[in-house]
Amino acid sequence: MSAALLPATDALDALAAFVRARGRLLVLTGAGCSVASGIPEYRDHEGAWKSRPPVRYAEFVASAAARRRYWGRSLVGWERVAAARPARVHHALAALERAGRIEAVVTQNVDALHQRAGSRRVVDLHGRLDRVECLECGGELDRADVQELLRSWNRGFAAELAAAAARGARPDGDAAVEADFSTFRVPDCPACGGILKPAVVFFGENVPRARVERALRALERADALLVVGSSLMVFSGYRFCLAARAMGKPMAAVNLGRTRADDLLDLKVVADCGGALAEVAAAFDGPRGGPRIHAPAFDASRRPE
Ligand SMILES: [Zn+2]
């Protein structure tokens, strides 16, 4: 199978037809979905690193200095993620879910923007940045509470880092800033004194098996796979394309650049995912000329500080 290459409007019609013809979709989303929300992509359209890879898991666990540096940078980087708001693509997917067309959204993003747009059937493959976990007792904290502690304990750093962060933040909330973090104070678990880590899968760390299986079961129940805004360069996402092929499920993708699964796709739409998904969602949202997308159902309880 190879992806059909069509002019833009034909491609969008083909995408709408693809969705219409299949009952329920497993939607796999990536960083391209969050760009319009102001969260930059790690990789460019060819799948190469745009900048230095973030801290690795082994380094974070083994080194207090690496943890000080991570939390110091993320003191600034998190603000950008916390301030991000869902974009058209998030609202469109939430609308498709309300229309009964989505079995699950499996996301590689850690920004929880799908939930904040109103999606409920979400598997956060790589975790959520708005939560913090203890590596000893498994307890969980709100990132907003940890952020308050970090800020009040490290007032001297905040201004310096904020200025440096004007140069940009990373999608995992780890800002691209450097400083001397040797005196940066990092909180431990209030329950057991263990090491605290953002509840996201770091590079060099495996996605928890139960989470992968939950996503694969959703794929089994789904009628087709739709990839949105991902180059699929990370295996944790690409594996769902391999699984879909093994299950004989049709596959489509909307992405601005190439994807690792281009050869497996039945339909490839090279387009901005916000505009493309808004078009598709509109087709399931009442008569032509009616409201295009439901008003966003913003969940205030998930709103970060
Ligand atoms: Zn603990």
Side-chain angles (χ1 to χ4, degrees):
M1 285 185 294
S2 66
L5 283 175
L6 301 166
T9 50
D10 290 352
L12 288 182
D13 287 345
L15 181 66
F18 179 93
V19 174
R20 205 177 299 118
R22 276 85 194 182
R24 288 163 79 82
L25 303 171
L26 188 294
V27 181
L28 177 65
T29 69
C33 289
S34 296
V35 171
S37 297
I39 298 176
E41 279 183 285
Y42 271 119
R43 295 162 189 272
D44 63 22
H45 294 169
E46 293 304 309
W49 289 109
K50 278 185 169 173
S51 52
R52 202 157 66 86
V55 65
R56 298 184 67 81
Y57 177 74
E59 187 189 359
F60 184 90
V61 172
S63 160
R67 291 195 293 279
R68 283 193 295 272
R69 179 170 171 273
Y70 174 86
W71 285 112
R73 289 158 58 105
S74 85
L75 172 64
V76 176
W78 162 250
E79 299 289 347
R80 184 155 173 180
V81 176
R85 294 292 172 258
R88 272 201 302 179
V89 65
H90 303 105
H91 294 306
L93 288 171
L96 281 174
E97 182 179 314
R98 285 191 295 273
R101 308 306 296 235
I102 290 185
E103 181 60 37
V105 173
V106 175
T107 186
Q108 300 170 280
N109 300 335
V110 295
D111 48 41
L113 287 173
H114 288 301
Q115 288 92 337
R116 287 162 60 192
S119 287
R120 291 292 169 265
R121 307 170 71 88
V122 181
V123 178
D124 297 291
L125 206 53
H126 294 166
R128 283 176 66 151
L129 202 58
D130 58 357
R131 292 175 187 165
V132 174
E133 64 193 3
C134 171
L135 295 179
E136 300 299 321
C137 72
E140 278 211 358
L141 303 169
D142 269 356
R143 172 57 201 257
D145 296 335
V146 173
Q147 183 75 358
E148 275 310 305
L149 267 186
L150 286 170
R151 206 181 298 148
S152 64
W153 287 2
N154 301 284
R155 292 201 185 281
F157 281 89
E160 181 189 343
L161 290 171
R167 291 196 297 270
R170 290 168 179 267
D172 66 349
D174 177 20
V177 293
E178 286 304 339
D180 175 8
F181 293 110
S182 58
T183 58
F184 193 85
R185 282 188 68 198
V186 173
D188 296 323
C189 173
C192 78
I195 292 173
L196 293 180
K197 174 182 167 292
V200 298
V201 174
F202 275 26
F203 284 76
E205 184 182 10
N206 291 324
V207 176
R209 191 176 177 80
R211 205 180 290 165
V212 174
E213 280 169 3
R214 195 177 143 220
L216 285 172
R217 284 196 299 274
L219 178 59
E220 272 169 11
R221 292 191 300 269
D223 300 296
L225 173 65
L226 175 63
V227 178
V228 181
S230 175
S231 62
L232 300 167
M233 289 303 158
V234 179
F235 183 75
S236 66
Y238 179 61
R239 84 170 108 209
F240 291 97
C241 296
L242 297 179
R245 183 178 62 176
M247 294 174 192
K249 312 264 185 195
M251 254 181 276
V254 183
N255 195 50
L256 272 177
R258 65 179 286 263
T259 83
R260 188 176 174 183
D262 278 356
D263 291 343
L264 304 178
L265 299 171
D266 299 288
L267 175 67
K268 168 76 178 287
V269 179
V270 180
D272 167 68
C273 56
L277 268 292
E279 284 288 322
V280 171
F284 294 94
D285 199 36
R288 237 173 236 281
R292 305 283 282 178
I293 300 183
H294 292 290
F298 188 73
D299 183 355
S301 68
R302 288 250 53 89
R303 185 174 183 170
E305 288 281 295

